[in-house]
Amino acid sequence: MLTACDTDFLAKLSGLLPPDALAAPEPRYLEEPRGRLTGQGGAVALPRNVEEVSVILRACHAAHVPVIPYGGGTGLVGGQVGLGNALPLILSLERMQAIRQVYPTENVLVAEAGAILADVQRAAEMAGRLFPLSLASEGSARIGGLLACNAGGVNVLRYGNARDLTLGLEVVLADGRIWHGLKRLRKDNTGYDLRHLMIGSEGTLGVITAASLRLSPRPAVQGAALMVVDGPKAALSLLALAQARLGDGISAFELISGTGLAFLAETMTQVRQPFAVPPDWMVLIDLGLPAGADASDALERVFADALEQGLVRDGVIAANLAQRKAFWSLRESIPEANRHIGAIASHDISLPLSEIAPFIAKAGQALARIKACRINCFGHLGDGNLHYNVFPATGHSRAAYDGERAQITTCVHDLVHQMGGSVSAEHGIGRIKAADLVTYGDPVKLAMMRAIKTALDPHGILNPGAVLMHDEMQGE
Amino acid sequence: MLTACDTDFLAKLSGLLPPDALAAPEPRYLEEPRGRLTGQGGAVALPRNVEEVSVILRACHAAHVPVIPYGGGTGLVGGQVGLGNALPLILSLERMQAIRQVYPTENVLVAEAGAILADVQRAAEMAGRLFPLSLASEGSARIGGLLACNAGGVNVLRYGNARDLTLGLEVVLADGRIWHGLKRLRKDNTGYDLRHLMIGSEGTLGVITAASLRLSPRPAVQGAALMVVDGPKAALSLLALAQARLGDGISAFELISGTGLAFLAETMTQVRQPFAVPPDWMVLIDLGLPAGADASDALERVFADALEQGLVRDGVIAANLAQRKAFWSLRESIPEANRHIGAIASHDISLPLSEIAPFIAKAGQALARIKACRINCFGHLGDGNLHYNVFPATGHSRAAYDGERAQITTCVHDLVHQMGGSVSAEHGIGRIKAADLVTYGDPVKLAMMRAIKTALDPHGILNPGAVLMHDEMQGE
């Protein structure tokens, strides 16, 4: 049983902390970006260092007070909003935003959990290095939350997810103990890899307070192209062709649908359309190549080979970095256009690459049987990760689909599951998808997760209700 | 308390399995490659499929019989030999060696745990792909053991450790439950990452029975060079220079010492020495480049720049793939030359890259204060991973150092630990380094490990004494 973060508890806690370490929670701590959930919190704790985090968690553990670890608040699955019966303490890492150290010769940077991603990117750039994690919310998302949720983004194809960019962690456990794991090593086989257990556990197993992050050399030569393809199958053949020639020179491979282009044309006329007749499908290919390479030439050769094989119909290669930026700007405007149109339901899914094209065909047919709708299917095709978003048919309102929303999502997720995919590729489980995890997750894996949760957080104070549903934790 | 794998238990177990599933353990199951430990075993179980593994573990769990999961038996830290008070059952995965499926368009291969690494490499090659895990024992090491130990090898710089090559796992838990986690996804944020928990747990948390593995396109262009450097510091500057030009085109960066070259000259005269006067230090640089690149030209430019910066003194660039192979053959002959000489103590360590050169200087000085000896320090410099092996002074026998062996290892490991390094970079903990984990490991991490071990294997039947020492598991 959890206990509310009430005035008695807060009075005791404030005695253990500096004067300004606790505050009444402003509304921003209780909202999530899509406005689907509203959280609660008895107070927000604002520690300045790992020792204060430890003091806070030790007190919450002793009193069985729930804790919502809070980063930038940008998560899309409600992992950052407390909803349980017992009023939680919100633990924000925002005051711990130091870049503790940059080691350019090691390609390592050590940042505190509250550091904003864009600041980490800039610190790496100042040292002549690249921190490749990049996503829409990089101006406000914080490192701790990004690692807790194993964030993805646009550079996963080449550089991996957030977990692949993490060498070491400093973590405070539920009972306040501090794991000093900020190693800067590429290889370390000394015991279980608890770094990867913490990353992606969404604040339910421990609170990340700092991380040593892996930097990369900045690509010597960059380039990009937009290529028109017949469909997702041709796009994936194009990817294979490009990778056979250029290997990891392909740093991103993004799918853009005709629906997305139409939404842009309708709602964001300032975004320049690359083709006179918007194609049904196109891809954005981004390159990072060694010194001496010629990106345009490399893309032209890929295009020529692909044309010969009937994989592409048209294409435009960025003549310079400004044009490359414009291509990315088009890609990155699609989520905003989606918001202008207003989705009935959005899905962050992944599939084995060879199931992508069959999935898109089958899902379209299955949804059509429910109700006429528009589908904007786009995203990180090279990773098998699609943002499969469903919109009202032209001229219809979102409200007209209120009765079908749940059915639509179930239809999409069932099909993804049947085809060996994941119902959360990069956004995580949080609270919004906790029931999906029960429905689609392997039951033995879920049982292991519950056993580990109980072992590391026996009172269940850390982000209760996220990842593992409340009723799943009962009796433990 | 564990119970011996005695004739009563074996009689019961054999009733649950096909006739030939149990056998008396041949000596090979009880030895480890360096002959430092001799194990025991009541029988060896030879399951043909995951269901039989499940039956075996369920029975062992119920009877509290210890189990030693057994792959190729090539591990170097005694993880494969049972030493406890209760006679264990050896569980060999050698009959489960199917390559279940290759998905070239997905860059995925699904192999059973008993598949030999060289067979997996060949299956990938047949499909026009690369499975980049590569190490000395690849002709006998099996996938299950390689993943259980998170194997490293020569391609980590470019492709990562074994864990980075694994997309999904099928695992049997201590109590026989089967986790069906053979996903083929690049992105899957549905719950805790138990894949990475199992990988590197050395058979103490579950038995890996199959894995979906990540393949890569084969590099279009390959090349290699040997370059003479002043020392490790210059070598690392050379690496930074090469990476700034070629990024991940650098697939391996191996340090070779003059001592190693002298050992080769003394014991393996058939290995051709590349330089008339063997240098004190040199590096092997291996390249994998996109189509159209010229590896020799790229290496020449790196060499020219490095010469200008005073980082290199001499060099030889492979004129063709045969010469590249000869360079690698030289590098790979060093461990054999070491065996001919006979090490007093060998150490598989890693350090933050910027600590490598200071470590080598300090360690040499510290060992000289103990007793005159020869040091062959070589290995995966790009990963910060050194094989730091200590040999008798010329004309002296290993036996003459029996009194100093423990002191030498403590001296090396203490220094590594002080400098933020790891006392097991790629070999794991097993039984030989279990005490080191207690000495050098973070105590909070160790407590978490014990809690997780108890949660997933409450009777402690899985590889008891490996990773976590026996007495650490008492009372749990």
Side-chain angles (χ1 to χ4, degrees):
Chain A
M1 278 299 293
L2 294 170
T3 304
C5 175
D6 56 19
T7 47
D8 277 2
F9 173 76
L10 289 170
K12 269 182 236 161
L13 183 60
S14 71
L16 304 170
L17 294 168
D20 63 345
L22 294 175
E26 297 165 33
R28 66 183 172 99
Y29 294 110
L30 308 177
E31 294 157 1
E32 50 87 35
R34 292 179 180 167
R36 298 197 186 160
L37 300 171
T38 303
Q40 48 181 1
V44 54
L46 298 154
R48 286 199 164 80
N49 53 55
V50 65
E51 290 77 19
E52 289 179 18
V53 176
S54 172
V55 165
I56 292 163
L57 285 173
R58 199 181 313 135
C60 290
H61 177 76
H64 295 209
V65 168
V67 177
I68 310 295
Y70 196 91
T74 60
L76 297 171
V77 287
Q80 71 278 56
V81 290
L83 297 176
N85 295 323
L87 196 65
L89 178 71
I90 295 164
L91 172 58
S92 171
L93 282 299
E94 69 202 79
R95 283 181 181 164
M96 291 180 64
Q97 49 179 287
I99 310 285
R100 287 193 192 160
Q101 192 96 40
V102 185
Y103 303 88
T105 60
E106 295 182 12
N107 277 313
V108 173
L109 179 155
V110 179
E112 293 187 344
I116 287 175
L117 174 52
D119 292 336
V120 174
Q121 293 168 343
R122 263 190 294 271
E125 190 174 357
M126 299 265 290
R129 296 292 183 273
L130 176 73
F131 183 60
L133 186 64
S134 175
L135 36 73
S137 59
E138 61 196 27
S140 49
R142 295 175 191 273
I143 286 297
L146 289 159
L147 298 189
C149 300
N150 186 33
V154 293
N155 286 325
V156 174
L157 184 65
R158 165 67 188 78
Y159 296 98
N161 294 290
R163 69 170 68 258
D164 302 302
L165 305 173
T166 308
L167 298 173
L169 294 178
E170 179 185 84
V171 175
V172 183
L173 301 192
D175 62 7
R177 283 177 297 169
I178 302 169
W179 166 33
H180 296 284
L182 277 183
K183 295 221 171 155
R184 315 197 304 270
L185 305 173
R186 257 62 182 179
K187 280 171 139 177
D188 179 22
N189 275 350
T190 52
Y192 306 162
D193 197 322
L194 304 183
R195 165 189 54 153
H196 283 305
L197 184 64
M198 290 295 164
I199 297 172
S201 69
E202 305 185 26
T204 65
L205 298 179
V207 176
I208 294 169
T209 51
S212 47
L213 301 169
R214 177 199 286 260
L215 307 179
S216 290
R218 299 186 78 81
V221 172
Q222 292 184 303
L226 294 170
M227 296 191 194
V228 176
V229 292
D230 258 346
K233 191 173 189 318
L236 284 165
S237 300
L238 172 61
L239 174 61
L241 184 157
Q243 284 183 325
R245 291 192 67 89
L246 301 170
D248 264 0
I250 316 291
S251 50
F253 194 84
E254 299 280 311
L255 183 69
I256 296 168
S257 79
T259 308
L261 294 173
F263 287 0
L264 282 171
E266 187 180 335
T267 67
M268 299 176 74
T269 47
Q270 71 278 22
V271 177
R272 197 163 161 263
Q273 295 271 342
F275 300 103
V277 179
D280 283 347
W281 296 100
M282 66 180 198
V283 292
L284 167 56
I285 308 180
D286 197 72
L287 292 195
L289 295 176
D294 181 329
S296 296
D297 182 62
L299 287 163
E300 270 166 34
R301 284 162 189 266
V302 166
F303 182 78
D305 285 3
L307 198 64
E308 203 177 291
Q309 294 183 28
L311 300 175
V312 295
R313 297 177 177 193
D314 199 353
V316 47
I317 293 170
N320 48 48
L321 291 181
Q323 212 170 2
R324 172 173 173 266
K325 207 172 162 184
F327 291 178
W328 273 107
S329 169
L330 176 132
R331 160 64 184 87
E332 287 167 352
S333 298
I334 293 172
E336 194 179 337
N338 286 344
R339 278 191 292 276
H340 288 307
I341 301 288
I344 304 163
S346 34
H347 310 93
D348 163 42
I349 61 176
S350 68
L351 288 150
L353 289 184
S354 58
E355 301 287 2
I356 293 258
F359 167 82
I360 290 175
K362 285 183 195 177
Q365 289 159 12
L367 291 183
R369 284 194 291 272
I370 296 174
K371 192 163 180 171
C373 51
R374 286 177 295 176
I375 296 161
N376 187 8
C377 170
F378 68 103
H380 319 303
L381 185 64
D383 312 320
N385 177 195
L386 301 173
H387 296 304
Y388 192 90
N389 295 0
V390 184
F391 297 83
T394 310
H396 291 77
S397 72
R398 290 180 68 208
Y401 291 78
D402 281 350
E404 288 81 19
R405 182 169 293 118
Q407 197 185 345
I408 287 170
T409 289
T410 301
C411 171
V412 172
H413 284 177
D414 281 356
L415 192 59
V416 166
H417 181 65
Q418 284 158 27
M419 298 178 86
S422 167
V423 299
S424 184
E426 58 176 7
H427 293 168
I429 295 298
R431 290 173 174 80
I432 288 175
K433 292 190 176 179
D436 290 323
L437 191 60
V438 179
T439 306
Y440 301 110
D442 180 83
V444 173
K445 178 181 172 184
L446 276 168
M448 282 194 277
M449 286 171 57
R450 285 192 293 269
I452 290 166
K453 170 72 174 173
T454 305
L456 297 186
D457 178 17
H459 303 161
I461 64 166
L462 285 176
N463 215 359
V467 187
L468 295 167
M469 292 179 79
H470 276 296
D471 50 352
E472 286 193 278
M473 290 299 297
Q474 277 174 2
E476 284 177 350
Chain B
M1 280 297 295
L2 294 170
T3 304
C5 174
D6 58 17
T7 48
D8 277 4
F9 173 74
L10 289 170
K12 268 181 238 163
L13 183 59
S14 71
L16 305 170
L17 294 168
D20 64 344
L22 295 174
E26 296 166 34
R28 67 184 171 99
Y29 293 110
L30 308 176
E31 294 155 1
E32 50 87 34
R34 292 179 179 166
R36 297 194 186 163
L37 301 171
T38 303
Q40 48 182 0
V44 55
L46 297 154
R48 286 199 164 79
N49 54 54
V50 65
E51 290 78 18
E52 290 178 19
V53 176
S54 172
V55 166
I56 293 162
L57 285 173
R58 201 181 311 132
C60 290
H61 178 75
H64 295 209
V65 168
V67 177
I68 310 294
Y70 197 91
T74 60
L76 296 171
V77 288
Q80 71 277 57
V81 290
L83 297 176
N85 295 323
L87 196 65
L89 178 72
I90 295 163
L91 172 58
S92 171
L93 282 298
E94 69 202 80
R95 283 181 180 163
M96 291 181 63
Q97 51 180 285
I99 309 285
R100 287 193 192 162
Q101 193 94 39
V102 185
Y103 303 87
T105 59
E106 295 182 13
N107 278 314
V108 173
L109 179 154
V110 179
E112 293 186 344
I116 288 174
L117 174 52
D119 293 335
V120 174
Q121 292 168 344
R122 263 190 295 272
E125 190 174 356
M126 300 265 290
R129 296 292 182 272
L130 176 73
F131 183 61
L133 187 64
S134 175
L135 36 74
S137 60
E138 62 195 27
S140 47
R142 296 175 191 274
I143 287 297
L146 289 159
L147 298 190
C149 300
N150 185 33
V154 294
N155 287 325
V156 173
L157 183 66
R158 166 67 189 78
Y159 296 99
N161 294 289
R163 69 170 69 258
D164 301 303
L165 305 173
T166 308
L167 297 174
L169 293 178
E170 180 186 84
V171 174
V172 184
L173 301 192
D175 62 7
R177 282 177 298 169
I178 302 169
W179 167 33
H180 296 283
L182 278 183
K183 296 222 172 155
R184 314 197 305 269
L185 305 173
R186 256 64 182 179
K187 279 171 140 179
D188 179 22
N189 275 352
T190 52
Y192 305 162
D193 197 322
L194 304 183
R195 164 188 55 151
H196 283 305
L197 185 64
M198 290 294 165
I199 297 172
S201 69
E202 305 185 25
T204 65
L205 297 179
V207 176
I208 295 169
T209 51
S212 48
L213 301 169
R214 177 199 285 261
L215 307 179
S216 290
R218 299 186 78 80
V221 172
Q222 292 184 304
L226 294 170
M227 296 191 193
V228 176
V229 292
D230 258 347
K233 189 173 190 321
L236 284 164
S237 299
L238 173 61
L239 174 61
L241 183 157
Q243 285 182 324
R245 289 193 69 88
L246 301 169
D248 265 359
I250 316 290
S251 49
F253 194 84
E254 297 281 310
L255 183 69
I256 297 169
S257 77
T259 308
L261 295 173
F263 286 1
L264 283 171
E266 187 180 335
T267 66
M268 299 178 74
T269 48
Q270 72 277 23
V271 178
R272 196 161 161 267
Q273 295 272 342
F275 299 103
V277 179
D280 283 347
W281 296 101
M282 67 181 198
V283 292
L284 167 56
I285 308 180
D286 198 71
L287 291 195
L289 295 177
D294 181 328
S296 294
D297 183 63
L299 287 163
E300 267 165 37
R301 283 162 190 267
V302 166
F303 182 79
D305 285 2
L307 197 64
E308 203 177 292
Q309 294 184 26
L311 300 175
V312 295
R313 296 179 178 190
D314 199 353
V316 47
I317 292 170
N320 49 48
L321 290 181
Q323 211 169 4
R324 171 173 174 266
K325 206 171 163 186
F327 292 177
W328 272 107
S329 168
L330 176 134
R331 160 64 185 85
E332 285 168 352
S333 299
I334 292 171
E336 194 180 337
N338 286 345
R339 278 191 292 275
H340 289 307
I341 300 287
I344 305 164
S346 33
H347 309 93
D348 163 43
I349 60 175
S350 67
L351 289 149
L353 288 184
S354 57
E355 300 287 2
I356 293 259
F359 167 81
I360 290 175
K362 284 184 196 176
Q365 290 159 11
L367 290 182
R369 284 194 291 271
I370 297 175
K371 194 164 178 172
C373 51
R374 286 178 294 176
I375 297 160
N376 187 8
C377 169
F378 68 103
H380 318 303
L381 184 65
D383 312 319
N385 177 196
L386 302 172
H387 296 304
Y388 191 89
N389 295 1
V390 183
F391 297 83
T394 311
H396 291 76
S397 70
R398 290 179 69 208
Y401 291 78
D402 282 349
E404 287 81 18
R405 181 168 294 117
Q407 196 184 346
I408 287 169
T409 289
T410 301
C411 170
V412 171
H413 283 178
D414 281 356
L415 192 59
V416 166
H417 181 65
Q418 284 159 28
M419 297 177 86
S422 166
V423 299
S424 184
E426 58 177 6
H427 294 169
I429 295 296
R431 290 172 174 82
I432 289 175
K433 292 190 176 178
D436 290 324
L437 191 60
V438 178
T439 306
Y440 301 110
D442 180 83
V444 172
K445 179 181 171 184
L446 275 167
M448 281 194 277
M449 286 171 57
R450 285 193 292 270
I452 290 167
K453 169 72 173 171
T454 304
L456 297 187
D457 179 17
H459 303 161
I461 64 166
L462 285 176
N463 215 1
V467 187
L468 295 167
M469 293 179 80
H470 277 296
D471 50 354
E472 285 193 279
M473 290 299 298
Q474 279 175 359
E476 281 178 352

